Every structure is written in C-alpha cells, then in structure tokens.
Amino acid sequence: MMVFLNGRFLPVGEARVSALDRGFLYGDGIFETLRVVDGRPFLAAEHLRRFRAGAAFLGIPLAWSDAELAGVWQELFRLSHTRDGVLRMTLSRGPGPRGYSPRGAGPPTLLVTLHPAPPTTGAAAGWRVVTSRIRGTGPRMLAPYKVCNRLPQILARADADAAGADEALILDEAGRVVEGASANVFWVTGDELWSPGPCEGALDGITRRWVADHCRKRGWTVREGTLPLEQVRHAQGLFFTLSSLGPVEARELDGRPLPRWPGFAELRSAYEAALRTL
C-alpha cells in the first residue's frame, strides 16, 4: 500500500509521523473520507470545502491547493493500480512542544491514503443497530467538521461490536437521537424525513447533504431536527448515510425489527447512479 506523506509517496511501512505530532498526542487535526469510483472522488468539491473550513477553524495552515490535492489522488490511484476505493486525507497541526498550547507547533502533517472499498453485502441486507451507552458526540461547535478526536464515536462503535451489531445510535443527554457511530441518521415519520444536523450535535455529513437535497427534489419533506429515541423506535423507516457506503437501511433496532421504507430503494438507486456520473 502506497501513501502520500508531507510531499512524498511512500510504502505504508516506511511512512513515519513524529512522536511529538499533535494529531497523535491530542487529536489536533481534521480528516475527510471520500468514496472513489472509476477514478472519480464522489462530491470532491464539497469534501474539499469542508476540509478547508475545518483547517481554518482550527487555525492549521493548508498549503496545498485543490488542484495539487487532486493530483496527489490521481498519483495514488496510479501507484495503487486501482481507481476504486476509499480515499482519506488527514491534516494535523504537526509536531510541537509539550502542552495544549499550539504555539510553536508545525509544520502541519498531511497524510493521504487509499483503501479498498468496504464490502456492501452486509449493507445491502440492512444493518442491525443498537443504542449506545454513550451520550453526546462532543462540543457542538466542532460538529460541522471531521476533527480527529472521535472518542465518543469509537466507544459507540465498541458498543455495536460487543452486541454483534453493525451500527450504534448515539443519543444526547436528553435521550434524543443525534447520529450513528460512523454515520448520519434519517428516519421517516408520517410523510416526513427527519435527520439531526450540527445544531443537534451531528456531523454536517456530505452524503447526508446529498441525500437531503435529493429527497427534497423528489418532493419529500425533510426536517433537520431530532426526536426522543422512543419516538424514533416507531418510525416507518430508519437509514444511515456515510461517505464510504452511501445510504444504508436499518432492519433492526435494539433487537426489534424495523419497517422498510418504500422510498429507500429509489433513493439507493439514485445514489448509485450519481456515484458514476458526478
């Protein structure tokens, strides 16, 4: 596996990051994950905008232009002999002195990796979902960005693993649904789709935005907000959105079967078509 690290393409076994890097020490950085199909990173412009917005919010300089980053991606495709997979860009503040202060840190560390696309067999069958013991996803001011510190999501994912489930729901302190461990969440109530957003503490997901826009174009009502878990349990359908897999339907929540929303099949087909054209 070849990676790009600070201006060089290297075998992954030769890539080295400083022991003083603040991304490792404090999670002081951001990342983006993009699905790549036939050499086209899906919704690349939107991912790059969020990547730059996150870097600006954290005050981490990003010296690479969008065109230069796209050139890095293409070279990774060539070196990896693949044009399909999952691309990840990680930017940290770089090495620095001991302590929380970012003063004197740098230069930033930029790592770009390309991974095989995840298998879709389980996703096609629908996910088994459990409710995590974790409450909250961290400070809401960070919700618009993919910051490197993902401990609430990691612990929620561990809850899913322990239960033999595919995904876990994270609630806020009031017991309202926020997001999945690795994905944004939608549910159908009556003739409306609901999805928590940054105001509720959920990541401002790129695939979530595409799905919401598509549903509105179809004439479906989409509300950004949340509801208590007990109300979500009685939804007419539940599904998740994430960059690596797209929309994924849930078939079970906490051991109870869920209804299958009839509109999901059309939504999934539209997403698959967009992957190959956008």
Side-chain angles (χ1 to χ4, degrees):
M1 175 178 174
M2 298 294 291
V3 304
F4 176 84
L5 177 63
N6 293 336
R8 300 175 62 199
F9 293 93
L10 300 163
V12 66
E14 297 178 16
R16 299 288 184 270
V17 176
S18 169
L20 300 180
D21 193 281
R22 291 176 60 90
F24 165 70
L25 295 174
Y26 306 114
D28 186 2
I30 56 168
F31 71 100
E32 286 290 329
T33 302
L34 299 81
R35 180 71 168 91
V36 181
V37 176
D38 194 24
R40 289 192 301 271
F42 186 52
L43 301 175
E46 289 84 347
H47 280 284
L48 285 167
R49 274 195 292 270
R50 188 173 65 181
F51 193 58
R52 291 192 178 280
F57 180 80
L58 295 182
I60 301 176
L62 179 57
W64 301 82
S65 69
D66 288 359
E68 288 170 329
L69 289 172
V72 169
W73 302 345
Q74 294 300 321
E75 182 63 7
L76 268 185
F77 302 158
R78 188 187 71 81
L79 293 172
S80 302
H81 305 290
T82 182
R83 292 166 60 80
D84 295 273
V86 175
L87 191 69
R88 175 173 164 141
M89 299 186 297
T90 305
L91 179 73
S92 84
R93 201 178 301 274
R98 192 199 69 80
Y100 290 157
S101 172
R103 185 178 302 154
T109 298
L110 176 65
L111 173 68
V112 185
T113 57
L114 179 64
H115 307 266
T120 59
T121 306
W127 276 353
R128 294 180 58 244
V129 182
V130 295
T131 302
S132 173
R133 63 197 159 93
I134 299 302
R135 294 294 179 266
T137 55
R140 292 190 181 184
M141 66 179 181
L142 299 178
Y145 318 109
K146 291 203 81 168
V147 295
C148 286
N149 190 323
R150 312 299 286 174
L151 276 176
Q153 290 81 2
I154 290 168
L155 293 174
R157 179 67 233 191
D159 287 343
D161 291 345
D166 303 294
E167 178 61 301
L169 276 181
I170 302 176
L171 312 181
D172 64 14
E173 294 294 341
R176 297 169 299 198
V177 174
V178 177
E179 64 180 358
S182 59
N184 289 111
V185 62
F186 285 77
W187 61 87
V188 184
T189 300
D191 58 354
E192 298 177 335
L193 285 88
W194 286 71
S195 180
C199 290
E200 289 73 43
L203 174 71
D204 188 13
I206 302 298
T207 306
R208 172 184 175 273
R209 282 190 228 159
W210 184 93
V211 165
D213 287 345
H214 174 79
C215 290
R216 290 188 178 107
K217 290 173 184 174
R218 286 280 287 105
W220 298 329
T221 300
V222 181
R223 294 188 179 278
E224 184 166 295
T226 189
L227 291 172
L229 174 64
E230 285 310 309
Q231 289 183 248
V232 175
R233 288 189 195 278
H234 296 96
Q236 283 79 61
L238 181 75
F239 63 92
F240 295 86
T241 59
L242 63 167
S243 292
S244 56
L245 289 170
V248 179
E249 195 171 21
R251 61 180 171 88
E252 180 183 297
L253 175 58
D254 294 328
R256 296 160 60 178
L258 290 168
R260 311 298 283 264
W261 176 50
F264 183 80
E266 188 277 338
L267 170 62
R268 181 70 203 185
S269 294
Y271 172 81
E272 293 283 353
L275 272 181
R276 287 160 177 76
T277 56
L278 293 182

